[in-house]
Amino acid sequence: MTEAVFRETTAEPRTQAVPLSHLSLELGHLYMEDFEAGPEHLRRHFARVRPWAEAARAVAADRAGRRRARVSTCFLVDDYFTRFASPAEVVPMLLAEAERAGLTVDYLARESACAVSGKVPVAEAVAGRLVEEPPPGSYGHRPPAAQTGWLANGVRSPIARAPQAMRKAAVWEPPRETAARRHSVFLDVELWNETPDGERLWSCPFLAAVWQLARLGLLRHQGEPVFDPQPHTGAFPDEWDDLPPLVRLDPRADPFAAYRTCSVLPSRFLPVEHAVRVVLDQTDVDRDALRQIAERSAGEGVSVPGPVADRVSYVFCEET
C-alpha cells in the first residue's frame, strides 16, 4: 500500500533564478535639475562617462577570459523625489544624447520602483531584512534601525547626561567604526523620515542600496524576481506611472542582473554610495538567491566575492 504525502505549494516557495550578465554597467543616475539643464548638459555627462564605461568593459572582458563578456548597461531616472516633465519628453532626449556619445542604454529604471514596484513594497521588504552589527561592548541600549530609521557602521558617541546626586556626568567619547583600520570612518545613515502626513519617505542612499540588490539579481518577492524587464514597444507614455519599473530598450541586450555592478557617477554621489555599502553590509540577503548565483558562477568559472558589498564598484568622475 502506497502512502501519498500532500503539501501546500505555498509551504515550500520556489526561488526563481534570473539570467545573469558578468557586469551591470550603470551609465548615470540623474535628477530633475540635470534634465532641466537641457540636452547639452546630458551631452557633457555622457562624454565624461564614455571612457570610464569602456574601461569597465575592458575589465569585464579580462575577467571573462576566453568567454565573451556579458555586459548590460542601465540608467536610473529619479521619479521618486520629484516628478518632472514626462517620459515622452525625457527618455528620447536621454537616449539620443547617449547615442551621440557612442553609448547604448540597454535598460531604463524608475527610482520610485525601488520603493514600490507594482504592488510589491520593495524598500519596506529590504528594511525588514536589516541585521545590525552589534558594536563591541554594546548592551542593546540603542533602539534598532527598524524603529529609528538610522543605521550606523559602528558605535555612536554616548549622550552626555546631566549629573545626578552622587554621580558624575558621562565623559565624552568619540564614535568608533566597527571595522576600522587604525582610524575610524564613522557613518550614520538615515534610511527614511516621515512626511507631515505620516508617510515614510525613503532616503536616496537606501533606495540606491535597493537598486544595487536588484542589479545583482538578489531581490525576490515570494520567490519571484522583483524587477522583471519589460520590452519597450511604441511611444513612451506621458505619465511616469505608466512606464514599467524596468524597461528593456534593446531586445538584444545581455541580462539586466549581473554577478558584479559598476556605476559611473558624478563625484557628488560619493557620500551616498558610502552609505549604500553600510546598508549592504548589514542586509540579510535572500539565501536561495545567493546560493543560485554561487552555483551559477562556479559552473561558469567566474569569481564572485562573498560579501555582497564587494560585488559593487564605482567610478566617480568630475561634475559636468
Side-chain angles (χ1 to χ4, degrees):
M1 182 176 178
T2 303
E3 293 184 0
V5 179
F6 297 91
R7 295 186 177 91
E8 293 185 15
T9 56
T10 55
E12 298 178 1
R14 176 178 176 273
T15 300
Q16 181 179 336
V18 297
L20 294 166
S21 291
H22 292 98
L23 179 69
S24 166
L25 178 58
E26 185 177 10
L27 302 178
H29 176 173
L30 302 180
Y31 292 95
M32 178 187 66
E33 57 269 23
D34 295 298
F35 291 100
E36 286 183 335
E40 295 80 9
H41 181 79
L42 292 175
R43 193 172 306 158
R44 291 193 297 271
H45 167 79
F46 285 118
R48 285 169 171 77
V49 165
R50 179 178 176 176
W52 300 112
E54 291 175 347
R57 284 183 178 275
V59 172
D62 182 65
R63 285 202 180 105
R66 296 181 180 180
R67 298 179 299 273
R68 182 186 73 86
R70 302 187 301 273
V71 179
S72 63
T73 61
C74 58
F75 198 98
L76 186 67
V77 176
D78 171 33
D79 68 327
Y80 180 73
F81 295 102
T82 307
R83 289 292 175 98
F84 58 94
S86 70
E89 298 174 72
V90 169
V91 179
M93 176 177 64
L94 172 71
L95 299 181
E97 294 305 329
E99 184 178 6
R100 182 192 290 262
L103 297 169
T104 300
V105 179
D106 296 327
Y107 297 91
L108 181 75
R110 295 192 290 116
E111 189 164 16
S112 61
C114 295
V116 178
S117 179
K119 296 182 179 180
V120 180
V122 189
E124 183 178 336
V126 173
R129 303 187 72 95
L130 291 175
V131 181
E132 296 179 75
E133 298 175 355
S138 64
Y139 299 96
H141 61 279
R142 185 174 74 192
Q147 294 180 14
T148 64
W150 287 84
L151 183 69
N153 66 345
V155 183
R156 299 175 174 92
S157 293
I159 300 174
R161 293 180 172 84
Q164 300 175 3
M166 306 299 293
R167 292 182 62 184
K168 294 182 179 180
V171 178
W172 179 85
E173 294 180 13
R176 299 191 308 277
E177 180 187 3
T178 301
R181 294 188 178 182
R182 294 194 179 92
H183 296 84
S184 288
V185 181
F186 178 80
L187 189 66
D188 212 350
V189 183
E190 185 176 24
L191 307 178
W192 69 78
N193 57 27
E194 291 190 353
T195 67
D197 297 332
E199 295 183 7
R200 183 169 288 185
L201 182 68
W202 300 99
S203 70
C204 179
F206 190 72
L207 293 180
V210 174
W211 172 235
Q212 290 289 353
L213 291 172
R215 293 170 60 198
L216 289 169
L218 294 172
L219 289 183
R220 297 291 188 279
H221 176 68
Q222 297 180 350
E224 297 184 359
V226 174
F227 279 26
D228 183 22
Q230 300 300 307
H232 169 62
T233 56
F236 291 100
D238 292 325
E239 301 294 335
W240 288 104
D241 289 336
D242 294 331
L243 188 70
L246 179 64
V247 182
R248 183 198 296 267
L249 298 170
D250 184 352
R252 300 169 299 175
D254 286 323
F256 165 70
Y259 293 123
R260 297 172 184 259
T261 71
C262 179
S263 300
V264 184
L265 302 170
S267 56
R268 67 178 183 270
F269 282 91
L270 176 57
V272 171
E273 301 304 330
H274 181 193
V276 166
R277 186 179 182 93
V278 171
V279 174
L280 294 179
D281 278 338
Q282 299 182 65
T283 300
D284 181 23
V285 179
D286 187 289
R287 303 299 175 85
D288 286 336
L290 284 171
R291 175 185 53 78
Q292 288 173 348
I293 290 176
E295 292 174 352
R296 182 90 60 84
S297 61
E300 284 198 77
V302 176
S303 174
V304 178
V308 171
D310 290 346
R311 305 179 188 186
V312 177
S313 64
Y314 301 95
V315 173
F316 295 102
C317 54
E318 61 183 302
E319 298 288 341
T320 55

